[in-house]
Amino acid sequence: MHLDKRRNQLLLGTFVHSKSQKELEIFHNAAVAVDANGKIAAVQRDCASLDVAKTQTLATLGWHVDDIDIYTTKESQFFFPGFIDTHIHAPQYPNAGIFGKTTLLDWLEKHTFPMEASLKDLAKAHKVYTAVVRRTLSHGTTTAAYYATIDVAATNLLTDLCRAIGQRAFIGRVCMDRPGINPDYYRDASTAAALGATQQTIDHIRAVDPKFDLVAPILTPRFAPSCTSEGMKALSRLQAEGGYLAQTHISENTNEIKLVRELFPEARSYAQVYDDHGLLTPRMVLAHAVHLTEEEGSLIATRGSKISHCPCSNSSLTSGAARVRWMWRKGIEVGLGTDVSGGYSPSILEAARQAALVSRHVAAAYTGDDENERERLKLTVEEVLHLATRGGALCLGLEDRVGGFEVGKDWDAQLVGLGRVADSGLRDGEEYTANGHGSGAAVPAAGAVPALNGSDEGNVDIFGWESWDEIIAKWLYNGDDRNTKKVWVKGRLVHARR
Amino acid sequence: MHLDKRRNQLLLGTFVHSKSQKELEIFHNAAVAVDANGKIAAVQRDCASLDVAKTQTLATLGWHVDDIDIYTTKESQFFFPGFIDTHIHAPQYPNAGIFGKTTLLDWLEKHTFPMEASLKDLAKAHKVYTAVVRRTLSHGTTTAAYYATIDVAATNLLTDLCRAIGQRAFIGRVCMDRPGINPDYYRDASTAAALGATQQTIDHIRAVDPKFDLVAPILTPRFAPSCTSEGMKALSRLQAEGGYLAQTHISENTNEIKLVRELFPEARSYAQVYDDHGLLTPRMVLAHAVHLTEEEGSLIATRGSKISHCPCSNSSLTSGAARVRWMWRKGIEVGLGTDVSGGYSPSILEAARQAALVSRHVAAAYTGDDENERERLKLTVEEVLHLATRGGALCLGLEDRVGGFEVGKDWDAQLVGLGRVADSGLRDGEEYTANGHGSGAAVPAAGAVPALNGSDEGNVDIFGWESWDEIIAKWLYNGDDRNTKKVWVKGRLVHARR
């Protein structure tokens, strides 16, 4: 580890996190103390004032005010847990927004495999991986479960960049050992070669981060059609030996499901294929799960495997609308994935927003006559923000380390700040100008006077009369990276906006 | 008019606009000359160089370089027509993002009517209306068809603010003259009072902008359930006399449709209600149209009425997925509406993005076996950007004035600029710092060094190898107001980012 000797930190003000799937907890006049190892050492809530919170916390811990860094929320600001992206393809980031009218299988051929293959060029990989790590951090993603490529050196570079830039990450070298289905220019030469290459990326992570404090390996059979039976079974054995997480895709698209049926005629279902190969375990994250049958849902729940819901991607690639309420009722844990670049956006806030919207398409398509059931199919603000934080932590086995503000957890968090509308209707720092000079006027004077936007606080406009529930809803629906003012991972400040 | 004497302008560089529903036209090394009245005087395309474009245009027009203002696109920048919002409720802007699990009718009661009623306080109206005009302009909306409230003074204030700030607008005082359905605290006292109040707002617009150069009235029966038969008929007569545009809602929500059936039992359908009252004319803009029957679609097409597609709103309020391809096949002209605050976002770019996604939900729900038909139901990048510009112009009867770059049209346009990723993977202006000082390093040095994001070019990352089609797709899917660098309406520069 090459971390410097860090100071203790004290965070003061308003904090918001998930209490349960259904409920957010908002506490004011609070203090969270973070020690030099990045762990939450104390939480002091609902004090009479910030001063009381501060004084009590320091006294309890025996910390001195001169030895610590202090961050205090201003008006319309709050601390929120860092987002967790349970499914993102780092090498596809340059293709974000590029998918045209394709669906999964032709999209892979046309856009995805060529881009991934090209990242064996390490200079290109450095550019792309730096951009995706920096960009996701700037959106508040403190933990990402990455698919890399099949290339060992580029995958190891992604590991190094996450550590240097400071993002918590799972790094998955993609296994694609089946000839015929994978393109010849982009596949593992053999099952043995695939296993050897995966082991090399695990060894690299173990060498630089022996306890997997920040970066950990994740076994990544791309999806059943990409893999041989032998390859999947070998990964299952590797998982049993090393206790690693694993990730793959399931039931994203109807043509993909047909292909799985053709390739694995002996299996009852897509989920059964993974189960037959020993991969349906509590340490498996299954992305998409749009078209699961009742039987598959029950099997996944029984095995304790997790689902990464990727609404942006499913809408973009015409995959359909996944049913989160149905998954929850089955007893399956669910997190959110951006699925860049099937999903166009690297933002988990956007994924949470789209999860809410997609659940409304599920509800609108409900054909029964139980109006209450239709209502229940919708996801609330509280529920999608739970998916984005504690839900993701549960998927990745991190529920004891991140996702909320409790003593003993790591300080993986973001400071969120929203814009306030002045009585003039303008934003702080915004003004009308004549010929580029500020006028201070509330309405432009006669003549052509553009209004220049000075401070850029983003698109959330707080008028001053909103409740805290409404403020959070406004952030969910119109927030973006401009509202993520600072980001910490494991106590380290890794992103800050000027 | 209190416009100053303006100079001629010359726009140089890359221009993008819709050629047809299916096709964008991209021209480089081009010049557009805009005269002091804001009209396009010349368009010079595909020259050998920018210098040639500039010199030829000036020579043709006899303009001298010292007498004009010149704007030139930089790398990854282009001029694009201003967006047209065919459906937005100005007084609801403070509620953007606040809708919870409501659907149309309870949302009106809980969130919307109280907010609208409160804007008879003119100080509040000034704050809210300034914010919505400034905010929509900053997103590139050069024309907006506004619903105001029932209040005359506040509606006239919206007129004045649009003129002062410089947005092209249709201003609609909302008619709600039916007792029992509208809340007693927020309705017109009588049909006569409603007509009188509407006339006052028209008179005000005529007084300040006699030729409706920038601001024009739009007759606004809120929706059939809000209005008496007498009221709708009177508005129809007023429209026939004055030639005004009109706007209303149709077939947004199944409970609303039921209510219309109860209130107007003699009509065959919701569309028939408007037709029976003389309101289904080529000058009518119908918002939503989610659940239209075949017969209603044909009736609307026959009458030449237009539809404002509001995908954000329809997804948010669980209204369903409107079928744009179906409308186009019927021969109906369609534009986009943000429908703030049923829609959470004031951005037409977001509406275009959601139009593409919603069309994919329509396609995913297609149950026939014609795979080609399923594909055809999807809207392309080109099609949704057409909806956002020329489609909107057609809806509002402005197709000869705005929506594209042709001689004789007004210069209603935006300068779009996208961010470029350096070889380091960082953005221009972004750097790693140690203790707040720039380091110039490509990777942070050992120790806790946050990366500060300096210039803020938004979320579109151009890597340098993209085609122009891909660049436009990236803008559609990840663009926001940061990418709208400058906005002109009728030749006047009305918004610029620092």
Side-chain angles (χ1 to χ4, degrees):
Chain A
M1 296 292 294
H2 63 199
L3 290 180
D4 61 343
K5 180 157 170 40
R6 283 208 302 268
R7 286 153 62 95
N8 295 325
Q9 298 174 82
L10 190 62
L11 298 308
L12 294 170
T14 298
F15 296 74
V16 181
H17 70 175
S18 285
K19 186 173 178 182
S20 67
Q21 270 179 9
K22 299 232 164 299
E23 214 179 331
L24 286 173
E25 198 166 39
I26 304 176
F27 36 104
H28 306 283
N29 286 333
V32 169
V34 176
D35 69 22
N37 295 319
K39 281 212 182 309
I40 297 177
V43 178
Q44 196 81 35
R45 297 168 48 164
D46 302 311
C47 300
S49 72
L50 271 189
D51 264 350
V52 172
K54 178 176 165 182
T55 313
Q56 284 191 355
T57 308
L58 293 182
T60 307
L61 295 170
W63 291 0
H64 192 276
V65 71
D66 295 337
D67 301 333
I68 61 172
D69 293 330
I70 298 181
Y71 299 90
T72 308
T73 56
K74 299 180 199 158
E75 203 175 19
S76 305
Q77 291 192 337
F78 56 93
F79 294 104
F80 196 81
F83 290 134
I84 297 173
D85 189 343
T86 58
H87 187 80
I88 173 167
H89 294 265
Q92 297 175 19
Y93 178 60
N95 283 342
I98 300 174
F99 51 88
K101 289 176 81 167
T102 57
T103 53
L104 177 63
L105 300 180
D106 55 326
W107 169 80
L108 283 170
E109 293 295 334
K110 188 173 171 191
H111 297 293
T112 305
F113 290 150
M115 177 61 76
E116 291 194 14
S118 76
L119 261 66
K120 64 179 179 242
D121 171 349
L122 290 181
K124 187 171 180 183
H126 187 283
K127 177 173 179 172
V128 170
Y129 286 161
T130 298
V132 70
V133 173
R134 282 289 306 133
R135 182 60 75 186
T136 52
L137 267 184
S138 76
H139 282 281
T141 298
T142 49
T143 300
Y146 285 117
Y147 286 60
T149 67
I150 65 171
D151 190 76
V152 171
T155 301
N156 291 345
L157 178 59
L158 179 57
T159 295
D160 296 344
L161 286 167
C162 287
R163 290 187 68 247
I165 299 172
Q167 188 175 51
R168 191 186 297 274
F170 292 87
I171 306 288
R173 196 205 71 93
V174 180
C175 290
M176 303 168 64
D177 69 332
R178 185 195 280 267
I181 297 291
N182 301 303
D184 282 339
Y185 70 85
Y186 185 56
R187 64 175 172 84
D188 291 307
S190 68
T191 301
L195 267 287
T198 295
Q199 189 61 54
Q200 284 182 274
T201 61
I202 295 173
D203 292 345
H204 178 75
I205 296 170
R206 207 182 285 282
V208 297
D209 192 352
K211 292 184 179 166
F212 302 154
D213 266 334
L214 195 72
V215 179
I218 186 164
L219 304 178
T220 308
R222 185 176 201 114
F223 69 148
S226 285
C227 300
T228 62
S229 276
E230 191 194 344
M232 286 193 280
K233 282 179 190 160
L235 287 173
S236 166
R237 284 192 299 271
L238 185 57
Q239 183 174 35
E241 291 159 16
Y244 310 116
L245 269 187
Q247 59 184 353
T248 192
H249 299 79
I250 196 167
S251 203
E252 177 176 359
N253 166 292
T254 49
N255 285 330
E256 169 211 17
I257 296 167
K258 248 183 254 169
L259 180 61
V260 170
R261 205 175 294 136
E262 288 162 24
L263 294 174
F264 300 91
E266 69 290 355
R268 295 167 60 93
S269 68
Y270 199 158
Q272 189 69 49
V273 172
Y274 291 129
D275 200 42
D276 288 346
H277 293 85
L279 286 169
L280 219 55
T281 78
R283 305 276 287 159
M284 167 57 85
V285 184
L286 300 160
H288 303 299
V290 178
H291 305 282
L292 292 182
T293 63
E294 287 293 331
E295 187 180 294
E296 286 179 294
S298 300
L299 176 61
I300 290 167
T302 303
R303 296 291 185 257
S305 299
K306 315 300 193 288
I307 290 178
S308 172
H309 175 45
C310 304
C312 282
S313 170
N314 296 335
S315 296
S316 298
L317 295 181
T318 328
S319 303
R323 298 149 293 157
V324 172
R325 184 75 64 204
W326 175 85
M327 297 170 189
W328 275 344
R329 286 173 179 169
K330 288 273 177 196
I332 303 169
E333 299 294 351
V334 187
L336 289 178
T338 58
D339 192 28
V340 164
S341 69
Y344 52 85
S345 171
S347 159
I348 283 290
L349 192 66
E350 172 78 8
R353 186 153 57 220
Q354 294 300 322
L357 298 180
V358 162
S359 77
R360 281 157 177 72
H361 283 283
V362 172
Y366 169 77
T367 52
D369 353 289
D370 181 353
E371 274 297 319
N372 292 329
E373 170 62 5
R374 189 198 305 278
E375 288 308 299
R376 280 190 294 264
L377 292 174
K378 300 181 196 176
L379 299 180
T380 63
V381 169
E382 292 79 4
E383 288 172 329
V384 299
L385 290 175
H386 184 274
L387 287 173
T389 54
R390 293 203 198 260
L394 281 158
C395 285
L396 301 178
L398 295 176
E399 64 272 24
D400 295 331
R401 293 177 68 181
V402 299
F405 300 136
E406 290 93 30
V407 171
K409 284 211 166 68
D410 286 351
W411 179 246
D412 281 28
Q414 53 187 314
L415 172 63
V416 176
L418 308 174
R420 292 190 75 88
V421 179
D423 285 344
S424 65
L426 299 185
R427 276 289 192 75
D428 295 340
E430 192 182 35
E431 57 182 354
Y432 296 107
T433 66
N435 307 318
H437 302 293
S439 68
V443 168
V449 280
L452 298 183
N453 199 337
S455 75
D456 199 346
E457 297 281 322
N459 279 324
V460 183
D461 278 325
I462 303 297
F463 283 76
W465 53 66
E466 296 88 348
S467 69
W468 267 96
D469 282 352
E470 292 174 335
I471 287 172
I472 304 291
K474 284 191 156 193
W475 173 54
L476 173 64
Y477 282 105
N478 279 314
D480 63 33
D481 54 304
R482 282 172 285 190
N483 303 114
T484 294
K485 303 295 183 190
K486 292 184 194 299
V487 179
W488 292 261
V489 175
K490 229 172 163 301
R492 176 181 167 196
L493 182 64
V494 291
H495 175 73
R497 297 184 73 80
R498 284 213 178 92
Chain B
M1 297 292 292
H2 62 199
L3 291 179
D4 61 341
K5 182 159 168 36
R6 282 210 301 270
R7 287 152 62 96
N8 295 326
Q9 298 174 82
L10 190 62
L11 299 307
L12 295 170
T14 298
F15 297 75
V16 181
H17 71 176
S18 285
K19 185 174 178 181
S20 67
Q21 270 178 8
K22 298 230 164 300
E23 216 178 331
L24 287 172
E25 198 166 40
I26 304 175
F27 35 105
H28 306 283
N29 286 332
V32 169
V34 175
D35 69 22
N37 295 318
K39 280 211 184 307
I40 297 176
V43 178
Q44 197 83 33
R45 297 168 47 163
D46 300 313
C47 300
S49 71
L50 272 189
D51 264 352
V52 172
K54 178 175 166 183
T55 313
Q56 283 191 359
T57 307
L58 293 181
T60 306
L61 294 170
W63 291 0
H64 193 276
V65 71
D66 296 337
D67 301 333
I68 61 173
D69 293 329
I70 299 181
Y71 300 89
T72 308
T73 56
K74 298 180 198 158
E75 205 175 15
S76 305
Q77 291 192 337
F78 55 92
F79 294 104
F80 196 81
F83 289 133
I84 296 172
D85 189 343
T86 58
H87 187 79
I88 173 167
H89 295 264
Q92 297 175 18
Y93 178 60
N95 283 342
I98 300 174
F99 52 88
K101 290 177 82 168
T102 59
T103 54
L104 178 63
L105 300 181
D106 54 325
W107 169 80
L108 283 170
E109 291 296 333
K110 187 172 171 191
H111 297 294
T112 305
F113 289 149
M115 177 62 75
E116 291 194 15
S118 75
L119 262 67
K120 64 178 181 246
D121 171 349
L122 290 181
K124 187 172 180 182
H126 188 282
K127 177 174 179 173
V128 170
Y129 287 161
T130 298
V132 69
V133 173
R134 281 290 304 133
R135 183 59 74 185
T136 52
L137 266 183
S138 75
H139 283 281
T141 298
T142 49
T143 300
Y146 284 116
Y147 286 60
T149 67
I150 65 171
D151 190 77
V152 171
T155 301
N156 290 346
L157 178 59
L158 179 58
T159 295
D160 296 344
L161 286 168
C162 287
R163 291 187 68 248
I165 299 173
Q167 188 174 50
R168 191 186 296 276
F170 292 87
I171 307 289
R173 194 204 73 90
V174 180
C175 290
M176 303 167 63
D177 68 332
R178 184 195 280 266
I181 298 291
N182 301 304
D184 282 339
Y185 70 85
Y186 185 56
R187 64 175 171 85
D188 291 308
S190 68
T191 302
L195 268 286
T198 296
Q199 189 61 53
Q200 283 182 276
T201 61
I202 296 173
D203 292 345
H204 178 75
I205 296 169
R206 208 183 284 281
V208 296
D209 192 353
K211 291 183 180 166
F212 302 153
D213 266 333
L214 195 73
V215 179
I218 185 164
L219 303 178
T220 308
R222 184 175 201 114
F223 69 148
S226 285
C227 300
T228 63
S229 276
E230 190 194 347
M232 286 194 279
K233 282 180 190 160
L235 287 174
S236 166
R237 284 191 299 271
L238 185 57
Q239 183 176 35
E241 291 159 16
Y244 310 116
L245 268 187
Q247 60 184 354
T248 192
H249 300 79
I250 195 168
S251 204
E252 177 175 359
N253 166 292
T254 49
N255 286 331
E256 170 211 15
I257 296 168
K258 248 182 258 170
L259 179 62
V260 170
R261 203 175 296 136
E262 288 162 23
L263 295 173
F264 300 91
E266 69 290 355
R268 295 167 57 90
S269 68
Y270 199 158
Q272 189 69 48
V273 172
Y274 291 130
D275 199 42
D276 288 346
H277 293 86
L279 286 168
L280 220 53
T281 78
R283 303 277 288 160
M284 168 57 84
V285 184
L286 300 160
H288 303 299
V290 178
H291 305 281
L292 292 181
T293 62
E294 288 294 328
E295 186 179 295
E296 286 179 293
S298 300
L299 175 62
I300 290 167
T302 303
R303 297 292 184 258
S305 300
K306 314 300 192 289
I307 289 178
S308 174
H309 176 44
C310 305
C312 283
S313 169
N314 295 335
S315 296
S316 299
L317 295 182
T318 326
S319 303
R323 299 149 294 158
V324 172
R325 184 76 62 205
W326 174 85
M327 297 169 190
W328 275 344
R329 285 173 179 166
K330 288 275 177 195
I332 303 169
E333 298 294 351
V334 187
L336 289 178
T338 59
D339 192 29
V340 164
S341 67
Y344 52 84
S345 170
S347 158
I348 283 291
L349 193 65
E350 173 77 7
R353 188 154 53 222
Q354 294 299 324
L357 298 181
V358 162
S359 76
R360 281 156 176 74
H361 283 282
V362 171
Y366 168 77
T367 53
D369 354 289
D370 181 353
E371 275 297 318
N372 291 328
E373 171 63 6
R374 188 198 306 277
E375 289 307 299
R376 279 191 294 264
L377 292 173
K378 299 181 199 176
L379 298 180
T380 63
V381 169
E382 292 79 3
E383 287 172 329
V384 299
L385 290 175
H386 184 275
L387 287 172
T389 54
R390 293 203 199 260
L394 281 158
C395 284
L396 301 179
L398 295 175
E399 64 272 23
D400 295 331
R401 293 177 70 181
V402 298
F405 301 135
E406 289 93 32
V407 171
K409 283 210 166 70
D410 286 349
W411 179 245
D412 281 28
Q414 52 187 315
L415 172 62
V416 176
L418 308 174
R420 293 189 76 86
V421 179
D423 286 343
S424 65
L426 299 184
R427 277 292 191 72
D428 296 340
E430 192 182 33
E431 57 182 353
Y432 295 107
T433 66
N435 306 318
H437 302 294
S439 69
V443 168
V449 281
L452 298 182
N453 199 338
S455 75
D456 198 347
E457 297 281 322
N459 279 323
V460 183
D461 277 326
I462 302 297
F463 283 76
W465 53 65
E466 295 89 348
S467 69
W468 267 95
D469 282 352
E470 291 174 336
I471 287 172
I472 304 291
K474 283 190 158 194
W475 173 53
L476 172 65
Y477 282 105
N478 279 311
D480 63 33
D481 53 304
R482 283 172 285 190
N483 303 114
T484 293
K485 303 295 182 188
K486 292 184 193 300
V487 179
W488 292 261
V489 174
K490 229 172 165 296
R492 174 180 167 196
L493 182 64
V494 291
H495 174 72
R497 295 184 73 80
R498 284 215 177 92

